[in-house]
Amino acid sequence: MHAVTRRRFEELFGSNSDSDDDAASDDISLDGLDEELNGGENDYEVAYILATGIKQKDYIRGLDYSMRLNEQNYIKDYIGENDNFLLLHAKIEDCDLVFTEIASILSEFEAEIGLLSSEIRNLREGSTAIGMKLRNRKVLEARLAKFIEEIVASPRMVDTIIDGEVNEEYLKNLEVLSKKLKFVEVDLMINASMALKDVKPELERLKQKAVAKASQFIIEMFKGLTNSNSNIQIMQENVLLKYKYVITFLKEHDRGTYNNICKGYVDTRNKVLRMQFSVYIKALERLQLQIAKSSELCNFDTTSNYFSLKKDEQLKIRSSIFSLGDRLEILKETDHPALIPDISEANSLKYPYEVIFRSLQKLMMDTASSEYLFVEAFFEDGSLFSEVFSDSFSVINEHLDHILPNCCDAICLMLMICITRNYQVKIYSRQIPCLNSYLDKVFMRLWPRFKAVLDMHLHSLRNFDVKTIWENDLHPHYIIRCYAELIASLGQLNCEYGDNQLGINLERLQLELDGLLVRLAIKFRRLKLQNLFLLNNYDMIIGILKEAGMGSDEKELAYFGDKLECNMISFVEELLRDHFGGLINFVKSYVSEDLISYKTQPALSNVEIVIKDFATKWKASLEVMHKEVITSCSNLLCGMEILRAAMAQLLNYYNRLSECVKLIPGGSALNKNLVSISSISYEIRKYSRIL
């Protein structure tokens, strides 16, 4: 497109030979024409010239003519509007005058506004100063009002404190008076006030009146605590605690009177509690059941300091005094209420001492817990508790000092130790530390006495004169039964509530008991009787331990079980030797245990004698052996075990003899006299069925 335009432009302006500028055309450069043409694409005049093909000169002449014509027209129009221009000029001058006046007025307004701004600023500063003064005066007024309110006692309050009854309204007024007294004592500047100097003496006199009335009221309330028919705990919780603020007031404003009140309460409660515990202990002592009289339990030798159980028929036939039995139930009843002696006496009930002890400690724990909580809440001083209960603790300690030295019942002592531990745990869970020291001291009284009693038993077992207690009787000895019951009882308590220290003492006790048992057994001349005596006693001990609930993994049961097994083997050998002595002696002398050879070659005639002797007497001997074991063993089950072991051993000996007969030259001739193994086994099974 630009190429076409360029050619057209050359045709219009550059190819005219008649032009006067032909000579100069050669000097005209067309460089940059394309850019100029591009710039003139949107120009109407250029586009018109290019579109119509008009000559340059012609276009210029037309343009010049148009300009002149327009100029003339413009001049005519201006001349025609001359009057309007004059009128407009006049109006503009009038406006200038008006604007000048307005500017003057605005300048005056500006000056007046400046004055107003200054006045407003002054007013604002004055208002701020007045506001600050107002706030200061309000603060002063509030402080003065508070000061007046704090130091001035209203007539109603004065009348209530001086003449009113001590009730809820009185306590409220007492609290108001306390605030006023604290107020005048806090700030030294307040104390310098002239107004306070007039009021303070009156407040002091009112305080003295309140202290006197409050202390007298509390003292009268404390007197009600001495009434034996009063429920002290209910009175403390429902009555005294309502007036707790009276004590707080005295504590804050008259320490001397407060201390006197505390001393009065301590003296009152101390006497009442001492009397109550003294009466209760005496009543409990009447309920004590004598498990065994001291003469039945032991003869105490002060020179040797050990126990010696009496040998009497009554002790043999009665239940063992060392048996735990139902006495263990007391450890499940530690939370039961304390005994009521009147009811128990009315029903003719008697209790072992551990029940008495549990009831006394339960009463102490409940009473002390209630008292501690009251003292802590009412006086806000837990240290008063030890003073309140000092005499009560002394009464119980005196009682224990009387009981413990005469208590030789190890079961009772151990039960009391378990009860004390139980209450220590309960006191800890209640988070009431008031009885920690007391229970620790009780425990420290009980354990040494228990240890002393156990040591006396150990000494007794070690130093018994077996000549005085030995009897020509293969059945369990009554002293062994007693101490077996003791071991079982203490072992049962040790499993549930005991500790390692008790376990060590039990091991010592069982060793000493075994030593006494061996010394008694030695008094029998024959070894078989010694073994039988030991078997009966060991079996009895194991039975007692199992009855007490001891498992096979318990040390005591395992110890006596091993002893029983060893003595059973020895007894079986002696039993067989008595009834089948020829067979036993022959086999042990000649037959090896491997059943394939003889130790020494016996004479055929000697073997024949042994075989014929056994064949003629074995059934009768089995019958006699059976009767002997059944009548000699105290426990049928133990007798059955012994017979099974004896018959199994007999069968073993005879089997060894039968096998070795085959090795003797000419031994086949003896087969006709041999009893078959099946016949012996059948006979043994028959006795097993009888058992």
Side-chain angles (χ1 to χ4, degrees):
M1 177 181 177
H2 292 165
V4 175
T5 305
R6 181 183 180 90
R7 287 194 302 269
R8 184 63 176 163
F9 188 84
E10 290 175 350
E11 291 176 358
L12 292 175
F13 298 103
S15 59
N16 189 0
S17 59
D18 296 333
S19 173
D20 295 334
D21 298 327
D22 289 341
S25 62
D26 294 336
D27 298 330
I28 297 174
S29 176
L30 296 179
D31 294 338
L33 180 61
D34 291 337
E35 288 79 2
E36 292 180 4
L37 289 175
N38 289 335
E41 285 182 353
N42 297 324
D43 190 305
Y44 173 77
E45 295 298 335
V46 174
Y48 175 76
I49 291 172
L50 294 175
T52 57
I54 190 170
K55 296 289 185 178
Q56 179 182 9
K57 294 181 178 181
D58 294 338
Y59 183 77
I60 292 173
R61 292 189 191 99
L63 183 61
D64 184 59
Y65 175 77
S66 298
M67 291 178 64
R68 288 193 185 95
L69 183 61
N70 288 333
E71 180 182 3
Q72 292 177 358
N73 291 333
Y74 289 148
I75 292 171
K76 289 180 181 180
D77 291 339
Y78 180 78
I79 293 172
E81 296 294 329
N82 185 41
D83 294 337
N84 292 332
F85 285 134
L86 292 175
L87 181 60
L88 178 62
H89 179 70
K91 288 182 179 180
I92 290 172
E93 289 181 346
D94 292 339
C95 287
D96 287 340
L97 293 175
V98 173
F99 286 147
T100 301
E101 292 178 358
I102 291 173
S104 177
I105 293 171
L106 289 176
S107 297
E108 292 177 359
F109 282 164
E110 183 179 6
E112 291 178 359
I113 289 171
L115 292 174
L116 288 174
S117 176
S118 177
E119 290 178 0
I120 289 171
R121 187 164 48 254
N122 293 334
L123 288 173
R124 185 182 296 111
E125 292 175 355
S127 175
T128 302
I130 292 171
M132 184 176 295
K133 291 178 181 179
L134 178 61
R135 286 193 297 272
N136 291 339
R137 289 180 180 181
K138 286 183 177 180
V139 171
L140 178 61
E141 181 184 4
R143 291 184 178 181
L144 286 174
K146 181 180 179 182
F147 175 76
I148 294 171
E149 181 183 357
E150 293 292 347
I151 67 172
V152 174
S154 67
R156 180 179 178 82
M157 185 186 77
V158 174
D159 292 340
T160 301
I161 291 177
I162 295 176
D163 300 322
E165 294 182 0
V166 180
N167 51 25
E168 186 175 351
E169 182 183 0
Y170 182 90
L171 295 178
K172 290 180 180 178
N173 284 282
L174 202 62
E175 190 172 355
V176 173
L177 176 60
S178 177
K179 291 180 180 179
K180 295 181 184 298
L181 293 171
K182 291 178 182 178
F183 178 78
V184 301
E185 293 172 357
V186 170
D187 197 337
L188 295 177
M189 294 182 62
I190 294 176
N191 285 321
S193 170
M194 295 298 295
L196 183 60
K197 290 180 180 180
D198 294 336
V199 175
K200 190 172 182 179
E202 299 300 325
L203 288 176
E204 188 65 26
R205 282 193 290 271
L206 188 59
K207 183 187 79 170
Q208 296 300 328
K209 290 284 187 181
V211 168
K213 187 168 186 176
S215 61
Q216 185 61 35
F217 174 78
I218 292 297
I219 290 172
E220 292 297 325
M221 295 290 290
F222 287 168
K223 289 181 180 179
L225 298 176
T226 61
N227 189 348
S228 59
N229 295 324
S230 300
N231 188 317
I232 304 301
Q233 184 175 349
I234 293 177
M235 185 175 177
Q236 288 174 335
E237 294 177 357
N238 298 341
V239 180
L240 286 175
L241 282 178
K242 290 170 56 178
Y243 301 99
K244 175 183 179 297
Y245 188 75
V246 174
I247 296 297
T248 303
F249 179 83
L250 295 175
K251 186 177 182 179
E252 292 175 349
H253 301 290
D254 196 326
R255 196 72 183 189
T257 302
Y258 167 77
N259 291 335
N260 291 335
I261 291 293
C262 291
K263 186 175 183 302
Y265 178 81
V266 167
D267 292 342
T268 300
R269 287 296 290 149
N270 200 359
K271 291 177 183 178
V272 171
L273 289 170
R274 178 185 177 88
M275 180 188 66
Q276 290 178 342
F277 276 100
S278 297
V279 172
Y280 189 70
I281 288 173
K282 290 179 181 179
L284 288 179
E285 288 175 348
R286 295 194 297 270
L287 301 177
Q288 184 175 351
L289 174 66
Q290 196 74 25
I291 297 295
K293 297 179 182 179
S294 58
S295 60
E296 293 176 341
L297 178 65
C298 62
N299 287 329
F300 183 64
D301 186 346
T302 56
T303 59
S304 60
N305 196 38
Y306 68 89
F307 291 129
S308 175
L309 292 178
K310 292 192 68 178
K311 184 177 77 172
D312 58 27
E313 295 301 322
Q314 184 180 3
L315 186 58
K316 294 181 186 179
I317 62 176
R318 64 178 298 182
S319 298
S320 175
I321 58 175
F322 296 119
S323 175
L324 185 58
D326 294 336
R327 298 172 73 180
L328 183 62
E329 294 299 315
I330 190 64
L331 298 180
K332 301 176 183 178
E333 300 171 358
T334 52
D335 289 330
H336 289 195
L339 295 175
I340 301 176
D342 291 341
I343 296 177
S344 298
E345 285 185 312
N347 294 301
S348 301
L349 298 177
K350 296 288 184 179
Y351 306 97
Y353 182 73
E354 63 267 16
V355 178
I356 305 296
F357 177 82
R358 196 250 2 141
S359 183
L360 178 59
Q361 300 307 319
K362 174 65 173 175
L363 179 64
M364 169 56 74
M365 188 176 72
D366 291 344
T367 305
S369 298
S370 174
E371 188 67 28
Y372 177 80
L373 293 175
F374 170 75
V375 168
E376 186 71 27
F378 192 67
F379 294 99
E380 297 181 352
D381 185 3
S383 63
L384 293 176
F385 171 84
S386 58
E387 299 178 37
V388 170
F389 271 83
S390 60
D391 285 356
S392 300
F393 291 153
S394 298
V395 169
I396 295 178
N397 289 337
E398 290 173 4
H399 169 70
L400 293 178
D401 287 341
H402 171 69
I403 292 294
L404 292 182
N406 299 314
C407 181
C408 301
D409 187 351
I411 304 300
C412 176
L413 290 168
M414 191 61 207
L415 286 171
M416 288 192 288
I417 290 172
C418 294
I419 291 169
T420 303
R421 284 178 176 169
N422 186 285
Y423 285 145
Q424 285 177 317
V425 173
K426 283 182 170 58
I427 285 295
Y428 178 79
S429 64
R430 292 182 184 182
Q431 297 183 344
I432 299 178
C434 58
L435 286 180
N436 287 343
S437 176
Y438 164 76
L439 290 175
D440 288 342
K441 290 178 181 178
V442 171
F443 185 83
M444 293 306 296
R445 285 171 176 267
L446 293 173
W447 182 257
R449 181 57 189 170
F450 171 77
K451 184 66 168 55
V453 170
L454 205 59
D455 287 343
M456 292 176 187
H457 283 302
L458 291 170
H459 196 81
S460 298
L461 288 170
R462 192 180 305 117
N463 295 280
F464 265 127
D465 184 1
V466 294
K467 293 179 181 180
T468 62
I469 62 174
W470 182 80
E471 295 178 339
N472 190 18
D473 186 356
L474 295 173
H475 291 84
H477 198 280
Y478 68 97
I479 290 180
I480 303 301
R481 174 179 291 277
C482 287
Y483 279 102
E485 292 282 3
L486 180 61
I487 292 174
S489 299
L490 294 180
Q492 190 173 356
L493 291 174
N494 188 44
C495 291
E496 299 184 19
Y497 306 97
D499 54 21
N500 293 333
Q501 189 64 30
L502 179 57
I504 294 172
N505 284 283
L506 281 175
E507 291 180 7
R508 294 171 58 200
L509 190 61
Q510 73 185 22
L511 289 175
E512 294 297 342
L513 179 61
D514 190 31
L516 174 62
L517 188 56
V518 172
R519 294 200 306 274
L520 288 171
I522 293 175
K523 298 296 291 182
F524 294 95
R525 295 181 179 180
R526 296 184 59 193
L527 180 59
K528 184 180 76 170
L529 297 181
Q530 294 176 9
N531 289 327
L532 183 56
F533 175 77
L534 291 173
L535 278 174
N536 283 331
N537 281 275
Y538 285 137
D539 179 68
M540 174 200 66
I541 294 172
I542 291 172
I544 291 173
L545 295 179
K546 287 183 177 179
E547 187 178 354
M550 288 191 179
S552 57
D553 57 340
E554 298 293 339
K555 292 182 180 179
E556 295 82 5
L557 197 58
Y559 176 83
F560 288 110
D562 292 341
K563 291 290 182 178
L564 177 68
E565 184 176 352
C566 291
N567 279 277
M568 183 178 292
I569 294 172
S570 178
F571 175 73
V572 165
E573 290 296 326
E574 295 300 319
L575 181 66
L576 292 176
R577 194 181 297 276
D578 277 357
H579 297 283
F580 300 94
L583 172 65
I584 304 302
N585 292 331
F586 179 84
V587 171
K588 285 189 174 184
S589 299
Y590 295 103
V591 182
S592 65
E593 294 184 2
D594 57 10
L595 304 180
I596 60 175
S597 65
Y598 285 102
K599 294 179 181 179
T600 58
Q601 182 71 40
L604 184 62
S605 59
N606 293 337
V607 177
E608 184 178 7
I609 292 172
V610 172
I611 292 175
K612 288 183 177 180
D613 180 69
F614 180 83
T616 57
K617 297 192 303 185
W618 73 277
K619 288 187 178 181
S621 296
L622 279 180
E623 179 68 24
V624 173
M625 185 175 69
H626 168 261
K627 289 181 179 179
E628 180 182 352
V629 171
I630 294 301
T631 56
S632 299
C633 290
S634 302
N635 184 358
L636 180 60
L637 295 178
C638 181
M640 292 171 60
E641 290 297 325
I642 292 173
L643 279 175
R644 290 192 185 99
M647 292 180 179
Q649 187 66 3
L650 173 63
L651 194 61
N652 178 49
Y653 280 130
Y654 192 75
N655 185 49
R656 289 167 64 186
L657 175 64
S658 300
E659 290 297 323
C660 288
V661 166
K662 300 175 183 178
L663 304 177
I664 301 175
S668 58
L670 302 177
N671 289 338
K672 61 181 180 179
N673 295 321
L674 282 173
V675 180
S676 65
I677 298 297
S678 60
S679 299
I680 298 175
S681 298
Y682 173 78
E683 199 70 21
I684 290 175
R685 286 196 297 272
K686 183 176 70 173
Y687 282 110
S688 298
R689 288 195 297 270
I690 295 174
L691 292 174

